[in-house]
Amino acid sequence: MMAIYLNEDEFGNDAACIGFPHILLCMGVVVMTSNDLYGVHLGWPGGDSDVLIAELANLIAADGVADDMRALYGCCNREIRFQAAGDKKRAWKAEMAGYAAILGFAGKIYGFCTSIIAPKDGTYVEYHPQYLQRQCRVYYKRNEKMVYAGGAAPATMHRYNHHRGMVVPFGTEPVTTGAAVTTTPSNKGHLHEVNYVLRMNSFTVP
């Protein structure tokens, strides 16, 4: 299976799978079109998050699919990302609605709060598309139970440099090119799949 793995400030697209290592303060955002997934790994709220979402919108527009966005996802640890907010679900919805406006997205927005597993070092989150259903299957694991491989960046990945205020080439430094679960007798090397009925929140923006 082809896949891309996005660390903080990285964005790109892959039709089969997008994984996000070490989601702690961050958020893994994914836009689903009819035939592709576009993702971005955002840092702390504010800062350059709006800029990164705009860069993702530029990529989607450049690929000619700005009118083909079918669903929007944003998974994070809301207890940490919105620790100063009284209503953390409302804070998440407000942030996602803002990103939808930048993207020009209208439709269903989904999100899962990773705090249910009390991760010590963040959470690995992985999205698999179900194009006919216009939804993704979402998987997760504590980051400390994952092992990552490194290699050259694929052509479908990009990185935003905060200091230079622009998208810059990866050069020769390695990026994450694989993710595997540390196998134990209890997990058998498998990720958890989100309980969509109990854990996946959703709302619609017009």
Side-chain angles (χ1 to χ4, degrees):
M1 179 182 69
M2 298 298 292
I4 59 170
Y5 302 90
L6 302 173
N7 289 292
E8 189 171 343
D9 300 332
E10 295 175 356
F11 63 99
N13 62 293
D14 189 276
C17 173
I18 297 182
F20 294 90
H22 198 233
I23 296 289
L24 181 58
L25 308 174
C26 308
M27 184 187 291
V29 172
V30 165
V31 178
M32 169 186 270
T33 67
S34 295
N35 300 288
D36 213 347
L37 296 180
Y38 291 80
V40 58
H41 189 139
L42 302 178
W44 191 253
D48 287 328
S49 290
D50 285 359
V51 176
L52 277 159
I53 291 291
E55 291 290 351
L56 188 67
N58 290 339
L59 176 61
I60 292 170
D63 285 350
V65 291
D67 294 329
D68 189 38
M69 294 183 284
R70 303 300 183 183
L72 176 60
Y73 283 79
C75 294
C76 65
N77 187 330
R78 296 177 198 165
E79 295 299 317
I80 294 179
R81 188 171 182 83
F82 306 115
Q83 56 188 281
D87 188 332
K88 294 170 176 55
K89 182 179 177 181
R90 179 178 292 181
W92 166 77
K93 290 176 70 174
E95 183 174 356
M96 292 302 298
Y99 296 152
I102 295 170
L103 290 162
F105 172 84
K108 206 70 170 288
I109 297 177
Y110 300 90
F112 157 63
C113 179
T114 66
S115 66
I116 62 167
I117 56 172
K120 296 178 182 178
D121 190 34
T123 308
Y124 173 73
V125 180
E126 191 172 280
Y127 296 81
H128 293 229
Q130 292 183 293
Y131 290 114
L132 292 179
Q133 292 83 358
R134 296 190 177 188
Q135 293 182 4
C136 287
R137 298 182 72 174
V138 182
Y139 300 85
Y140 64 99
K141 200 74 174 179
R142 290 178 182 171
N143 200 71
E144 56 265 26
K145 293 186 177 181
M146 299 296 298
V147 177
Y148 300 108
T156 56
M157 275 179 60
H158 313 274
R159 177 181 289 158
Y160 181 80
N161 184 294
H162 292 276
H163 300 293
R164 296 179 62 184
M166 60 187 296
V167 177
V168 295
F170 278 98
T172 58
E173 71 272 26
V175 301
T176 301
T177 55
V181 177
T182 301
T183 303
T184 66
S186 61
N187 68 34
K188 299 181 180 179
H190 297 157
L191 297 168
H192 306 294
E193 186 169 5
V194 173
N195 183 318
Y196 302 102
V197 175
L198 296 178
R199 304 295 185 185
M200 185 66 78
N201 302 128
S202 66
F203 69 104
T204 302
V205 292

